[in-house]
Amino acid sequence: FLIDWINATLKQEHIVVKSLEEDLFDGLVLHHLLEHLGSLKLDVDKIALTEKKQRQKLSVILEAVAKCLQLEANQLKWSVESILSKDLLSTLHLLVAIAKHFQPDLAIPANVQVETITIEVIIVLIFATMDYGILSQGLICLKLGRIVADDAFDELFSRAPDRLDAVKQVFLQFVNQHVGKLGLNVKDIESQFADGVILLLLIGQLEGYFLNLRDFFLTPASPTEMLHNVNLALDLLTDGGLLNFSVNSE
């Protein structure tokens, strides 16, 4: 019902919503919807590409909604973080509130109940999150037991290859969560990170900046160009205080 309502409202602007979670989190559709329904002129960019910009945009939009609906902070059933993280229930609360305020005669289905289940996932990435110095000295605890290791990576490869695949999947989800905003999809860490391009774009997304295309090779054609990209990525990580151990770029 809400999708049909939004699409009918914004038909003249050629905006088509297919998923409430995927199409509303960045604030673009909400921006157009509020301008159309409430004639609100919001001082934000139409398109926000980075997560930082999207967060800023949503903050302005949701502040305008709260002001229009005359809601106090403790009355809000949504937040910038919940909308940005594609929380469906928060998005539903927000859209229903907007619809009821600006179009009170809208025949919204009554007595809709939503059952929510909260699942807590705890993932331990010992070898990836601990300092290398600590790893080389002591005991490494994994779920399958306790391993005494000189090198955590060697131990993980030799004694827990099944855990390695699980760790890769976690990292793939993390990477795609961020580079997916640029229309990119990573399926294989080894091959797709080799030329440094994805790594550079990921750093830019996480740190909230875009790299000048003249500073790196977007489509490297040789090992030298690939090595240039990787070295640049390592320099950026080091300059940002995110890399405190040496990495062989080759």
Side-chain angles (χ1 to χ4, degrees), residues 15 36 42 49 54 65 68 74 93 139 141 154 174 179 193 196:
I15 291 177
H36 185 89
L42 303 174
L49 295 177
Q54 290 166 356
V65 170
C68 280
N74 59 0
H93 278 305
L139 295 172
C141 299
D154 288 342
F174 166 73
V179 300
F193 268 79

Side-chain angles (χ1 to χ4, degrees), residues 25-27 47-59 80-86 174-182 201-210:
F25 79 95
D26 62 359
I47 300 177
L49 295 177
T50 66
E51 186 173 329
K52 182 178 180 181
K53 293 280 189 181
Q54 290 166 356
R55 183 176 278 104
Q56 291 172 345
K57 181 172 183 173
L58 277 174
S59 180
V80 172
E81 294 304 323
S82 64
I83 300 298
L84 192 61
S85 63
K86 305 178 184 179
F174 166 73
V175 170
N176 285 321
Q177 178 186 351
H178 295 284
V179 300
K181 299 167 187 175
L182 301 175
L201 296 175
L202 176 62
I203 293 169
Q205 282 292 294
L206 293 173
E207 291 290 279
Y209 59 74
F210 285 99

Side-chain angles (χ1 to χ4, degrees), residues 134-164:
I134 297 174
L135 285 177
S136 64
Q137 295 171 11
L139 295 172
I140 300 162
C141 299
L142 299 174
K143 267 193 172 182
L144 56 102
R146 182 168 291 196
I147 301 170
V148 179
D150 291 328
D151 187 290
F153 290 100
D154 288 342
E155 292 293 340
L156 191 65
F157 274 96
S158 63
R159 302 198 190 194
D162 56 324
R163 296 290 171 184
L164 183 63

Side-chain angles (χ1 to χ4, degrees), residues 20-21 24-25 55 58 62 76-94:
L20 295 181
E21 303 99 300
L24 273 80
F25 79 95
R55 183 176 278 104
L58 277 174
L62 297 184
L76 302 179
K77 297 180 180 180
W78 56 83
S79 67
V80 172
E81 294 304 323
S82 64
I83 300 298
L84 192 61
S85 63
K86 305 178 184 179
D87 182 84
L88 178 58
L89 187 57
S90 295
T91 305
L92 289 173
H93 278 305
L94 175 61

Side-chain angles (χ1 to χ4, degrees), residues 29 35 41 44 72 118 131-132 142 176 192 195 231 250:
V29 174
E35 284 193 337
K41 297 300 178 184
V44 291
E72 299 295 333
T118 302
D131 182 81
Y132 274 38
L142 299 174
N176 285 321
Q192 288 181 267
D195 62 10
N231 278 320
E250 293 183 354

